[in-house]
Amino acid sequence: MDWTDLPLARATIDRASELRARPDLVADLLREESTRVVLTHGGLVATTTEDGSITLDLLAPSTVVGLDLPDGGWLYLGTDGASSYVALVLADPLVEVTDLERFAVDGGEDLVAGREWSQLRRIGAVLDARDAGLATTAVALAAWHKTHPRCPRCGTLTDVVQAGWVRHCPADGSDHYPRTDPAVIMAVVDEDDRLLLGHAVQWPEHRLSTLAGYVEPGEAIEHAVRREVAEEVGVVIGEVSYRGSQPWPFPASLMLAFRARALTTQITVDGVEVTEAQWFTRAELVDQVASGEVLLPMRSSIARVLIEEWFGGELAGDWGLTGA
């Protein structure tokens, strides 16, 4: 298993963060025909599908500059040397844009209607590395702007600066940066090398995955692994080994993956977050996936990577469009 090639962690673009402080960076880049624009809308990204292959629908600046768009909505994503990349965050054209706190701009029918829109979590594994990195960054930043329009200190509406990477409070002068929430996700294995999978309360029937949860303030990530497993299924964890990480911008998680060795096997689900949990041998998992009794996590998720690492190869079966 190649932990350096996780679906949403394959970014190849240089973020060139030193350029963000240029006041007119995005405006200058939109004058260059080599620049390419990523469109994101409601957590979706604009894509094209040709011969079964999905790619980002990267637009030339001339496609969007002439549409008389209002200020705002622009994010600088980086450069690969040949092209610079920016994202434009679009609002729903069916919803009147009257909320002054909204970061997304009204692109109208020209940019939203009739375009192919895809969920990143469903297509992340089939995008190439460049597109996966661009889409992940754009979706994550857009989600942060949507939920953090005001200063957490004084409540003043903040100004977007540094090409979309900082929000500045004009009242108290404070700067605020995109939020990332660390979360642990773990393949729990017992002494017989069985894998523990659970069903979260909000998931569709038959969907099972590895356990996961957020790291609490003041908590080490290894402690979070043990606490989450104990809380959700009542299993005691001993050895914990780190495997890898990838962003999961739905809306702002960084998934930290572990292999965890179970010291006990008795399962007691909490009934609040997890409603079902089960130990699987490899043969049992294959059989239940084939019969439809188990729906596996999407291929873009780190959960799928953890499961297939334990299994020793690729498993058939997906939940959702390209897996879930």
Side-chain angles (χ1 to χ4, degrees):
M1 185 63 63
D2 185 359
W3 284 91
T4 66
D5 195 36
L6 297 176
L8 301 189
R10 295 173 294 139
T12 61
I13 301 299
D14 178 2
R15 296 191 175 207
S17 59
E18 70 278 5
L19 301 180
R20 296 172 189 167
R22 285 173 45 184
D24 299 321
L25 174 62
V26 172
D28 291 342
L29 292 178
L30 291 175
R31 297 187 187 98
E32 300 178 5
E33 275 304 302
S34 61
T35 297
R36 289 296 176 263
V37 179
V38 177
L39 297 181
T40 180
H41 158 56
L44 308 175
V45 288
T47 56
T48 59
T49 303
E50 185 175 351
D51 297 329
S53 178
I54 302 176
T55 61
L56 287 184
D57 186 5
L58 298 176
L59 305 181
S62 57
T63 309
V64 296
V65 170
L67 296 179
D68 192 28
L69 294 173
D71 293 335
W74 293 102
L75 308 167
Y76 174 62
L77 304 180
T79 179
D80 60 9
S83 299
S84 294
Y85 298 89
V86 298
L88 178 59
V89 185
L90 300 172
D92 189 333
L94 301 180
V95 178
E96 185 179 0
V97 183
T98 57
D99 184 356
L100 294 178
E101 298 184 4
R102 183 173 298 175
F103 176 73
V105 299
D106 183 3
E109 298 293 320
D110 294 307
L111 291 180
V112 177
R115 194 173 298 278
E116 176 183 298
W117 296 96
S118 299
Q119 292 185 9
L120 175 60
R121 67 175 70 205
R122 294 178 180 252
I123 65 166
V126 298
L127 293 174
D128 66 20
R130 182 200 65 180
D131 284 4
L134 288 171
T136 301
T137 303
V139 169
L141 276 177
W144 173 66
H145 282 290
K146 180 179 179 180
T147 56
H148 293 77
R150 292 183 175 272
C151 176
R153 295 181 178 181
C154 67
T156 300
L157 185 63
T158 52
D159 299 322
V160 178
V161 296
Q162 295 203 24
W165 285 87
V166 177
R167 297 193 74 120
H168 177 77
C169 178
D172 65 21
S174 59
D175 288 330
H176 305 280
Y177 299 86
R179 173 173 173 168
T180 296
D181 301 321
V184 292
I185 185 165
M186 38 277 179
V188 178
V189 179
D190 71 3
E191 64 178 9
D192 296 321
D193 205 24
R194 296 183 301 170
L195 179 68
L196 180 63
L197 298 179
H199 175 83
V201 64
Q202 73 272 19
W203 290 348
E205 188 177 5
H206 302 306
R207 183 185 178 189
L208 295 179
S209 186
T210 52
L211 303 180
Y214 288 108
V215 181
E216 294 184 343
E219 183 177 42
I221 52 179
E222 294 84 359
H223 293 171
V225 170
R226 297 185 176 96
R227 174 184 55 77
E228 284 290 342
V229 175
E231 288 177 355
E232 294 182 352
V233 296
V235 171
V236 178
I237 294 299
E239 180 185 358
V240 173
S241 58
Y242 175 72
R243 303 303 300 133
S245 69
Q246 82 163 2
W248 192 246
F250 312 111
S253 296
L254 175 65
M255 305 305 297
L256 306 166
F258 294 84
R259 175 75 69 93
R261 181 65 62 179
L263 300 180
T264 63
T265 58
Q266 178 66 40
I267 296 172
T268 304
V269 298
D270 65 3
V272 177
E273 295 185 57
V274 175
T275 58
E276 173 191 351
Q278 180 179 341
W279 292 103
F280 288 90
T281 65
R282 289 168 179 80
E284 289 169 342
L285 186 59
V286 168
D287 288 345
Q288 293 193 39
V289 168
S291 68
E293 296 174 77
V294 170
L295 299 176
L296 292 174
M298 63 184 71
R299 293 195 181 277
S300 60
S301 71
I302 204 167
R304 183 61 172 253
V305 178
L306 281 168
I307 292 170
E308 292 186 340
E309 181 186 49
W310 163 83
F311 182 72
E314 187 171 304
L315 282 159
D318 296 301
W319 178 82
L321 181 62
T322 60

